[in-house]
C-alpha cells in the first residue's frame, strides 16, 4: 500500500511552476480539493461547485458541476474531496446530510454518480481512503461516521462516536485500517475500519470543539489537531497513550490544519473566525508563525497544498469568493519584522539589553570550540536553504551597569540633596552650592555659582557691581583722561559703548577724581576691607537697588581704586584684539578680586582654565547703569543653556536661589516647564523631600498647588475626640486648641505626632522621649500608645 | 566603564522588549513565548524574576510601565491583535515569602484587526492614557476616565497613518507651551512611500490629533523611535532607529497667537550614524537625554553623546555577551567589557582642549581606569 501511494505521486518529478495568483468565484467557497496530478482544483460551497484548471498564469474555469435550473440541496457542499487515485472521482458532503459522489467521466452534463442520504444532519467531512479506490468515509453533525463502498448503494458500516458531532474524519497514512475522528466535545477517537462497534482509542485533545485533524504524510504516526481553543497540537499516536509532543498557540480558533509536504515540522492553519490569514508554523517554534499569507479579505475556509510532494504552492478558498494560489516565497515572514532586540536605559544610567543569541555571539567572536575542531562550524552552517531555517531561538538578557560617574546619576542625587536653596543669605547659598558642585567634580557648575554670587550678591554689588560703578566712574576716568579722550574720544574708539559710558560718567568724574588720586596706593587696605565688606553686606543684598548702590559708592571708593590699574592695562591690550573678551578677564579678575588685586600674571593664568563663554560680554561698560539687572539676560541665557544641556537641576536651583533677581526675566511658561521637569526628575529618584522643598519655594502658581492636591488629613480633636470639621486648629465643639502637646502643653508648630488610637500627641521629640519611659499616653487617658 | 551582568531570562523565544519602570528598580521583559516577566532589583543590585505569566496568545512585542502614581501597572501588546493592561496586586503572604507577585489582567483592548506593534502610556500630566499602534497603520488613543478603575478604557482617538506602524513615542514635555504630541514610525519597506516618521499634534480647537510633520528624509523602515526626555527644553529631540541611527531636532516655530493650525517645526537632522552597518532595532535615551543608546543587527550597543558644540559622537560600544569587540580595540584585551576604549581616547584627544577650556565636567573616564575595571561576567560557551 505504501508502494502504491508512492507510485501515485511519482510524477512529482515534473516540477510545478506558477506564481501567486487568484480568481474570483461567484460565491463563497466552503472547501477545496486538488486532483492527484495537481493540475485541477475543485471548489465547493453552498452556491458553488466548480472545477478550475491551474495554468501557469491563471485559473481557468473548466467545469461547472452545478447543473439544472433548480439545483437541489445536494449541491450545497460543506466539504469536497477529490480522489487521490481515481482522477475522475469526487465526493461531496452536503449540508442536508447527503453524501454525493461525482464521476467526471460521465458523458452527460450531470456528473452525479452516487447519492447516500443516510445522515440526518449536515455532513461535515468526507474522506476517501488513500489507497483503496472504493472506500469513502463521512462524518456528520448527527454524531455518526459512515463507511461507504462505492460499488454498493448503502453504507457498509456505521460508527457511533457516542458523543457529540463529528467535525473531521481522516484515514491514517500509516495504517490501512485506522482512521481518526474529531468531535465537538474535544475528543479524538481512533477507529479500526473493521470494528464498527467500538473505537480503539479515545483521548481528549482540546477544550472545546476539535475542528480538524491531519495525519502526518510521512508515516510517522503523528496526528495534528486544531480546536476552538486556538491551539494546534501534535500527538504521537504510536505510543500506548497518545502523547502531546508539540503545541502551537495561534490567535484564533483553528478550522483547518494541513501538514506541509516534504517539511517534517511544518503545518498550515487557518481560522473560520476573526482571522483571515493563513499561517504556516514550525511546530518546534510554536510561538511565532514561520510564514503568513495575508491575501484574503474574509475568513479562509479551505486550504490545500497543491501537490503532495511540493511544499511551495498552497491553494486556498475563502468566504470572500476568491480562490488563491500562494507561492511560498511570497509569504510574509513575521519573524523578519519581529524585533530581535530590546534596549532600555535605566534611571541610574544602567542599560538593559536583550538580544537574539545568534546576533551577539556571531561566528567571528565565537570562542573556539572546546574540542578545537574548527571545521565543525563550517560544516554546521552548510544548510541548503537559508529561507527555510527557522530553528528554535532564544535571547540573552544582560544589564550593563555603568561605573562612570558622569553616566551614573549619583551626581544628580547628591546635588539635589546637598544644594541649599533657601534659608541662608544669598552669597552663602551660592558659596555652598559652588562647593557642592566642586566636590562633585563639576567645575563649570561650581564656577557658575561663584559668578552668580559675584554678579548678584551684595558685597559683590559693593565690590563687583559697586566696583563696576567705580570702574566706570573712577576706573575708566583716568583711562579716559589719559588717553581715551585723546585717542579714543576723537573717534578712534571702536566701541560706541565705550564712548557712551564715558560720556555718561563724565558728570561723576569731577567729584570722584580726587578720591581716586589719593587712595590709589592702599592695596593692603583694600584686600582686607574687600573680604570684610563681603561678609558684612551679604544680608542686605536683596533690598538694594541702584540708589543704594550709588549712595554706598562713596564709602567704597577707596577699595575700588586699585582695580583701575589692571583694568587699564587689560583694556589697552585687548582693545586691539577683541573688545568683548576684555571684560571676560575682568570678570575673572573680579571673581578673585579680594586678593588678586590685578596681578596680571595671575589673571592670565586664570583665563584659559576658567573662561566661561557665556559671560564673555563687555559688562564693565554696561554695568554702571544696569547693575544687577544687567546680568539678567546673560543669566537667562545661561539657564536656558543648562536646561538645554539636560541639566534642568541647575536651571531650577539658580532660579530659586536668585529669586526675584531673575524671575521677571524668564517667562512663566518656561519657569513652570523647568519646575515641572525638575520635580518629575526628583520624584523619579524618590527625592520626595527635595521635591517638596522645590515645590514650596517655587513661585509659579501651577507648581505651588502641586503639594496641596490629593492629600487630605482627617483629624479628630484631641480633647473631645470628635472630627474636626473646619480647617483651623480650634475645635468647634469644645473650643479648645487641638494641637496642644500632651507633654509640654504648648501649642505645636511644625511636626506634630499623634496617636491614632486616642488622638493625643504633641511635639515629636517630646512624645518620643515620653514613650521611651512609659507605654501609656502622656495625656493620661490610659491608652497604650505605640510609636513606631 | 560598563560592567555586564548577565541575567538568565529563561524566555523560550526571542525577547522583544525590555522596559524599566519610573524609578529604575523594576524591569519588565516580553517575549515571543507569549509571556511577560517582571524583574526586581535587590539591595545588592541583582535582578530577580518576581513574576512570569502568559499574557497573550501571540508574540508579545512591547511592554511598558505606567507612571507609579497609577499603581504598578503594565501594558503589553501582541501579534494576537490585542493590547492588555495588567496590574500587580498584593499577593498572598506565602507568595510574598517566595518573592513572587501576582499580576492580573485589567483589560484587553481588541479594536485592532492586525498585530498591535507598540503600546505606550501618555505622559503623566495628560492623565491615564494609553496609545497603541498596529500593523494596519492605525494609532488608537485610549483613556481611563477613572484612574482607580483600570478595567474601563474608552477609545478616544483613532488616527489612520496610512502606513504600517511599528513604533510610537510620546513627546514627554509637560510644558503648556507644547501641545500633546507623538511620533509614529513605520516599518514599511517600500522606499517610495515617502517619509516613514509622522508627527501628530493635538489641536485644542478641533480636539483632534492632526499631522504636524512628516520626516521626509527617513524613507527606510523604522524600527524604533524615541523622544528624548524634555527637561525644560524649548525644542524636541527625536531619535530614530532605521537602517542607521538618526537624531532629529524639532524646533517649534513661533506661532502667531491667532493661528489655530498645527505648530510648524523647523526640522534639523543633528546626527546620522551607520556604524552598526545593519538594521538598527532599538534606541533609548538616558534620563537626562545626554546619552543615546542604540542596538543593531551587529549585536552591539553603541552609545552616543553630544559635545558642547552639539556634535554627536560615539562614546562606547558594548557587546551583548560582554566579549571583547575585535577589530576596534586593536588588541583583544583579556575579557574586558570596556569596549571602544580606543574610540574614547581619541575622543578625549579631540575634545581635550575644548573640554578643558569650557570647564565642562569631564564626559569621559580616564582610559587608565578602564583597564582596572573588573570583568564580572564570562560568557559560557553554550549554544
Amino acid at each position: 500500500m505504501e508502494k502504491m501511494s508512492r507510485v501515485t505521486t511519482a510524477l512529482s518529478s515534473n516540477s510545478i511552476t506558477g506564481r501567486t495568483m487568484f480568481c474570483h468565484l461567484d460565491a463563497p467557497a466552503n472547501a477545496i480539493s486538488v486532483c492527484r496530478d495537481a493540475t485541477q482544483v475543485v471548489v465547493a460551497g453552498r452556491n458553488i461547485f466548480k472545477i478550475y484548471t491551474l495554468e501557469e498564469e491563471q485559473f481557468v474555469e473548466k467545469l461547472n458541476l452545478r447543473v439544472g435550473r433548480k439545483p437541489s440541496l445536494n449541491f450545497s457542499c460543506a466539504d469536497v474531496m477529490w480522489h487521490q487515485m481515481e482522477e475522475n472521482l469526487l465526493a461531496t458532503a452536503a449540508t442536508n446530510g447527503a453524501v454525493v459522489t461525482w464521476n467526471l467521466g460521465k458523458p452527460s452534463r450531470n456528473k452525479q454518480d452516487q447519492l447516500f442520504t443516510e445522515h440526518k444532519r449536515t455532513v461535515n467531512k468526507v474522506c476517501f481512503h488513500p489507497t483503496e479506490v472504493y472506500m469513502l468515509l463521512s462524518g456528520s453533525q448527527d454524531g455518526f461516521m459512515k463507511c461507504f463502498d462505492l460499488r454498493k448503494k448503502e453504507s457498509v458500516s456505521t460508527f457511533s462516536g457516542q458523543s457529540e458531532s463529528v467535525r473531521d474524519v481522516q484515514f491514517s497514512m500509516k495504517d490501512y485500517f485506522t482512521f481518526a475522528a474529531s468531535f465537538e466535545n474535544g475528543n479524538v477517537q481512533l477507529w479500526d475500519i473493521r470494528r464498527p462497534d467500538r473505537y480503539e482509542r479515545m483521548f481528549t485533545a482540546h477544550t472545546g470543539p476539535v475542528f480538524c485533524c491531519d495525519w502526518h504524510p510521512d508515516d510517522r504516526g503523528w496526528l495534528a489537531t486544531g480546536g476552538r481553543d486556538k491551539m494546534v497540537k501534535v500527538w504521537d499516536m504510536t505510543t500506548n497513550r497518545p502523547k502531546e509532543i508539540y503545541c502551537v498557540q495561534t490567535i484564533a480558533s483553528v478550522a483547518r490544519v494541513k501538514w506541509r509536504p516534504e517539511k517534517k515540522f511544518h503545518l498550515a492553519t487557518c481560522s473560520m473566525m476573526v482571522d483571515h490569514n493563513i499561517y504556516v508554523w514550525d511546530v518546534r517554534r510554536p510561538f511565532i508563525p514561520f510564514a503568513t499569507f495575508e491575501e484574503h479579505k474574509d475568513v479562509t475556509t479551505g486550504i490545500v497544498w497543491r501537490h503532495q510532494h511540493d511544499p511551495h504552492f498552497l491553494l486556498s478558498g475563502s468566504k470572500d469568493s476568491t480562490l488563491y494560489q500562494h507561492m511560498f516565497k511570497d509569504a510574509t515572514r513575521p519573524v523578519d519584522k519581529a524585533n530581535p532586540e530590546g534596549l532600555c536605559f535605566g534611571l541610574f544610567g544602567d542599560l538593559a539589553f536583550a538580544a537574539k543569541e545568534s546576533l551577539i555571539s556571531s561566528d567571528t567572536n565565537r570562542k573556539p570550540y572546546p574540542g578545537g575542531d574548527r571545521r565543525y562550524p563550517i560544516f554546521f552552517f552548510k544548510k541548503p536553504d537559508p529561507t527555510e531555517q527557522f530553528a528554535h531561538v532564544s535571547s540573552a538578557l544582560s544589564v550593563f551597569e555603568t561605573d562612570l560617574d558622569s553616566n551614573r546619576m549619583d551626581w544628580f542625587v547628591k546635588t539635589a540633596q546637598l544644594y541649599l536653596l533657601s534659608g541662608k543669605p544669598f552669597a552663602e547659598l551660592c558659596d555652598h552650592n559652588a562647593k557642592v558642585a566642586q566636590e562633585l567634580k563639576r567645575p563649570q557648575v561650581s564656577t557658575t555659582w561663584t559668578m552668580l554670587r559675584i554678579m548678584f550678591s551684595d558685597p559683590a554689588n559693593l565690590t563687583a557691581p559697586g566696583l563696576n560703578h567705580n570702574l566706570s566712574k573712577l576706573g575708566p576716568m583716568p583711562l579716559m583722561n589719559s588717553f581715551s579722550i585723546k585717542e579714543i574720544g576723537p573717534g578712534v574708539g571702536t566701541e560706541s559703548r565705550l564712548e557712551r559710558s564715558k560720556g555718561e560718567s563724565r558728570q561723576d568724574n569731577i567729584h570722584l577724581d580726587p578720591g581716586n588720586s589719593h587712595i590709589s596706593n592702599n592695596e593692603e587696605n583694600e584686600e582686607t576691607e574687600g573680604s570684610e565688606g563681603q561678609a558684612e553686606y551679604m544680608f542686605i543684598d536683596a533690598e538694594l537697588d541702584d540708589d543704594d548702590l550709588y549712595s554706598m559708592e562713596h564709602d567704597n571708593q577707596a577699595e575700588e581704586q586699585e582695580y583701575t590699574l589692571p583694568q587699564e592695562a587689560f583694556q589697552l591690550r585687548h582693545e586691539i584684539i577683541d573688545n568683548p573678551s576684555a571684560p571676560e578677564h575682568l570678570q575673572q579678575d573680579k571673581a578673585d578680586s579680594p586678593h588678586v588685586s590685578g596681578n596680571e600674571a595671575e589673571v592670565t593664568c586664570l583665563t584659559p582654565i576658567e573662561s566661561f563663554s557665556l559671560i564673555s560680554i563687555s559688562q564693565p561698560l554696561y554695568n554702571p547703569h544696569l547693575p544687577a539687572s544687567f546680568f539678567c539676560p546673560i543669566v537667562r541665557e545661561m539657564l536656558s543653556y543648562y536646561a538645554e544641556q539636560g541639566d534642568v537641576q541647575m536651571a531650577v536651583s539658580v532660579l530659586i536661589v536668585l529669586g526675584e533677581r531673575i524671575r521677571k526675566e524668564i517667562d512663566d511658561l518656561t519657569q513652570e516647564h523647568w519646575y515641572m521637569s525638575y520635580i518629575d526628575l526628583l520624584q523619579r529618584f524618590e527625592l520626595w523631600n527635595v521635591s517638596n522643598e522645590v515645590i514650596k519655594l517655587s513661585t509659579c502658581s501651577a507648581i505651588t498647588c502641586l503639594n496641596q492636591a490629593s492629600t487630605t488629613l482627617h483629624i479628630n480633636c484631641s480633647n473631645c475626640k470628635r472630627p474636626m470639621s473646619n480647617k483651623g486648629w480650634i475645635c468647634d465643639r469644645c473650643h479648645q486648641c487641638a494641637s496642644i502637646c500632651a507633654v509640654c502643653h504648648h501649642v505645636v508648630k511644625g511636626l506634630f505626632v499623634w496617636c491614632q488610637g486616642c488622638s493625643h500627641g504633641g511635639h515629636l521629640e517630646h512624645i518620643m522621649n515620653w514613650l521611651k519611659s512609659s507605654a501609656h499616653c502622656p495625656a493620661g487617658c490610659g491608652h497604650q500608645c505605640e510609636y513606631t | 566603564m560598563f560592567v555586564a551582568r548577565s541575567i538568565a531570562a529563561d524566555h523560550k523565544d526571542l525577547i522583544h522588549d525590555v522596559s524599566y519602570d519610573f524609578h529604575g528598580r523594576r524591569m519588565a521583559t516580553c517575549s515571543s513565548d507569549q509571556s511577560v516577566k517582571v524583574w526586581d532589583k535587590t539591595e545588592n543590585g541583582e535582578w530577580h524574576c518576581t513574576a512570569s505569566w502568559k499574557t497573550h496568545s501571540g508574540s508579545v512585542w512591547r511592554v511598558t510601565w505606567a507612571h507609579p502614581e497609577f499603581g504598578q501597572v503594565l501594558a503589553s501588546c501582541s501579534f494576537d491583535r490585542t493590547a492588555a493592561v495588567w496590574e500587580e496586586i498584593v499577593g498572598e503572604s506565602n507568595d510574598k515569602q517566595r518573592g513572587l507577585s501576582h499580576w492580573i489582567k485589567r483589560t484587553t483592548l481588541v479594536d485592532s484587526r492586525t498585530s498591535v506593534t507598540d503600546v505606550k502610556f501618555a505622559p503623566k500630566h495628560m492623565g491615564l492614557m494609553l496609545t497603541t499602534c498596529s500593523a494596519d497603520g492605525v494609532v488608537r488613543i485610549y483613556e481611563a476616565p477613572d484612574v482607580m478603575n483600570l478595567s474601563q478604557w474608552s477609545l478616544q482617538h483613532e488616527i489612520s497613518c496610512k502606513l504600517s506602524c511599528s513604533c510610537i513615542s510620546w513627546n514627554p514635555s509637560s510644558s503648556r507651551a507644547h501641545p500633546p504630541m507623538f511620533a509614529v514610525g513605520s516599518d514599511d519597506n517600500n522606499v517610495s512611500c515617502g517619509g516613514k516618521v509622522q508627527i501628530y499634534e493635538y489641536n485644542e480647537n478641533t480636539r483632534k490629533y492632526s499631522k504636524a510633520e512628516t520626516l521626509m528624509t527617513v524613507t527606510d523602515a523604522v524600527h524604533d523611535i524615541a523622544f528624548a526626555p524634555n527637561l525644560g527644553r524649548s525644542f524636541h529631540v527625536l531619535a530614530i532607529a532605521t537602517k542607521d541611527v538618526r537624531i532629529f531636532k524639532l524646533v517649534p516655530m513661533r506661532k502667531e497667537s491667532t493661528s489655530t493650525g498645527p505648530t510648524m517645526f523647523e526640522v534639523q537632522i543633528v546626527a546620522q550614524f551607520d556604524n552598526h552597518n545593519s538594521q538598527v532595532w532599538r534606541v533609548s535615551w538616558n534620563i537626562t537625554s545626554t546619552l543615546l543608546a542604540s542596538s543593531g543587527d551587529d549585536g552591539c550597543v553603541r552609545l552616543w553623546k553630544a559635545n558642547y558644540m552639539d556634535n554627536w559622537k560615539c562614546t562606547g560600544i558594548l557587546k551583548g555577551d560582554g566579549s571583547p569587540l575585535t577589530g576596534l580595540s586593536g588588541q583583544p584585551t583579556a575579557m574586558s567589557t570596556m569596549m571602544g576604549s580606543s574610540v574614547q581616547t581619541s575622543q578625549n584627544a579631540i575634545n581635550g582642549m575644548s573640554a578643558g577650556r569650557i570647564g565642562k565636567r569631564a564626559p569621559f573616564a580616564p582610559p587608565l581606569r578602564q583597564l582596572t575595571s573588573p570583568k564580572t561576567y564570562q560568557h559560557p560557551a553554550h549554544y
Side-chain angles (χ1 to χ4, degrees), chain A residues 725-743:
Chain A
S725 49
N726 63 355
K727 282 177 184 165
W729 290 103
I730 305 284
C731 174
D732 291 348
R733 293 182 179 83
C734 59
H735 303 287
Q736 291 263 349
C737 190
S739 56
I740 286 176
C741 175
V743 178

Side-chain angles (χ1 to χ4, degrees), chain B residues 40-307:
Chain B
D40 281 301
K41 199 175 186 176
T42 58
E43 292 299 319
N44 52 15
E46 276 166 21
W47 290 94
H48 280 290
C49 180
T50 54
S52 170
W53 72 103
K54 184 175 181 295
T55 48
H56 289 273
S57 49
S59 299
V60 188
W61 297 135
R62 297 266 196 168
V63 64
T64 187
W65 293 84
H67 192 279
E69 191 175 302
F70 305 114
Q72 292 298 307
V73 177
L74 278 174
S76 59
C77 66
S78 163
F79 183 76
D80 72 0
R81 307 170 176 192
T82 65
V85 177
W86 308 87
E87 188 178 21
E88 187 180 34
I89 54 167
V90 181
E92 304 282 306
S93 57
N94 55 353
D95 263 2
K96 234 179 208 167
Q97 276 161 14
R98 281 180 287 144
L100 298 175
S101 64
H102 193 56
W103 291 77
I104 55 172
K105 189 192 268 188
R106 289 300 185 197
T107 195
T108 309
L109 306 170
V110 294
D111 299 275
S112 175
R113 308 206 59 179
T114 55
S115 170
V116 182
T117 48
D118 200 355
V119 63
K120 290 276 155 68
F121 284 99
K124 189 200 82 180
H125 64 270
M126 292 172 61
L128 186 51
M129 292 181 104
L130 189 65
T131 325
T132 64
C133 69
S134 53
D136 57 358
V138 182
V139 172
R140 292 181 177 85
I141 299 176
Y142 299 87
E143 183 172 13
D146 174 10
V147 296
M148 300 306 290
N149 182 3
L150 290 169
S151 43
Q152 239 180 32
W153 293 81
S154 56
L155 180 57
Q156 297 284 326
H157 301 278
E158 217 168 12
I159 303 140
S160 174
C161 301
K162 308 287 192 294
L163 291 169
S164 158
C165 299
S166 59
C167 49
I168 193 163
S169 175
W170 278 95
N171 178 11
S173 170
S174 58
S175 168
R176 281 187 288 133
H178 302 144
M181 178 169 99
F182 63 85
V184 190
S186 165
D187 58 355
D188 194 305
N189 281 315
N190 189 347
V191 176
S192 61
C193 282
K196 293 300 186 313
V197 174
Q198 300 174 7
I199 290 157
Y200 289 84
E201 197 186 58
Y202 185 66
N203 188 320
E204 202 64 58
N205 297 309
T206 59
R207 300 192 181 179
K208 280 199 171 86
Y209 283 87
S210 52
K211 199 191 285 183
E213 191 69 52
T214 304
L215 303 185
M216 295 310 288
T217 53
V218 185
T219 52
D220 294 280
V222 172
H223 306 295
D224 199 12
I225 194 165
F227 270 107
N230 180 276
L231 298 184
R233 287 193 192 86
S234 56
F235 54 86
H236 316 296
V237 181
L238 186 64
I240 293 168
T242 169
K243 62 174 184 182
D244 47 21
V245 183
R246 291 186 207 186
I247 303 170
F248 283 91
K249 204 186 215 178
L250 302 169
V251 187
M253 311 260 250
R254 187 138 303 174
K255 204 155 114 178
E256 288 157 40
S257 52
T258 52
S259 78
T260 55
T263 317
M264 303 293 282
F265 290 101
E266 188 193 329
V267 181
Q268 307 164 2
I269 179 151
V270 182
Q272 183 168 1
F273 302 105
D274 55 3
N275 302 37
H276 281 291
N277 260 323
S278 58
Q279 292 293 324
V280 181
W281 289 108
R282 283 287 191 248
V283 283
S284 179
W285 289 96
N286 75 342
I287 189 63
T288 53
S289 71
T290 49
L291 211 53
L292 176 71
S294 66
S295 70
D297 257 343
D298 58 352
C300 292
V301 177
R302 284 165 204 267
L303 300 173
W304 313 95
K305 191 181 171 75
N307 68 3

Side-chain angles (χ1 to χ4, degrees), chain A residues 275 285 287 339 341 345 365 369 392 395 397 399 401 403-404 444 644 672-674 683-684 686, chain B residues 1 3 5 7 12-13 15-16 23 25 32 81 176 230 232 282 284 295-296 319 359 365 369 383:
Chain A
D275 194 359
R285 192 176 175 185
F287 305 113
N339 209 319
E341 287 174 348
F345 246 120
N365 284 327
Y369 288 92
H392 174 77
S395 288
L397 175 65
V399 173
E401 285 163 6
D403 54 3
L404 189 68
Q444 187 187 16
E644 282 171 16
E672 193 187 311
H673 189 190
W674 289 350
Q683 292 183 345
R684 264 181 190 263
E686 296 168 88
Chain B
M1 185 171 118
V3 180
R5 190 190 282 271
I7 298 168
K12 292 184 187 65
D13 206 304
I15 296 173
H16 297 298
H23 296 300
R25 306 206 188 285
S32 258
R81 307 170 176 192
R176 281 187 288 133
N230 180 276
R282 283 287 191 248
S284 179
S295 70
K319 198 84 179 79
R369 244 179 92 191
Y383 35 88

Side-chain angles (χ1 to χ4, degrees), chain A residues 3 81 114 289 350 359 414 418 641 710 754:
Chain A
K3 283 257 159 60
M81 188 169 181
Q114 291 260 48
D350 40 350
L359 286 182
K414 290 219 177 84
L418 296 175
Y641 167 82
S710 75
W754 72 92

Side-chain angles (χ1 to χ4, degrees), chain A residues 142-211:
Chain A
D142 62 12
F144 293 100
M145 295 144 281
K146 286 177 188 290
C147 185
F148 304 96
D149 186 329
L150 301 184
R151 293 163 294 196
K152 294 178 182 163
K153 290 284 177 199
E154 285 173 358
S155 64
V156 289
S157 47
T158 301
F159 309 88
S160 169
Q162 305 279 335
S163 57
E164 282 181 64
S165 308
V166 186
R167 295 307 298 234
D168 202 355
V169 284
Q170 293 287 340
F171 276 110
S172 166
M173 299 280 181
K174 186 191 177 194
D175 192 342
Y176 182 88
F177 297 108
T178 305
F179 71 89
S182 72
F183 292 86
E184 280 199 349
N185 62 359
N187 288 345
V188 171
Q189 294 177 353
L190 282 181
W191 290 82
D192 187 316
I193 203 88
R194 298 162 295 187
R195 291 195 58 190
D197 53 328
R198 206 188 131 72
Y199 53 79
E200 297 268 283
R201 273 198 258 174
M202 181 171 84
F203 61 97
T204 303
H206 293 266
T207 53
V210 186
F211 288 135

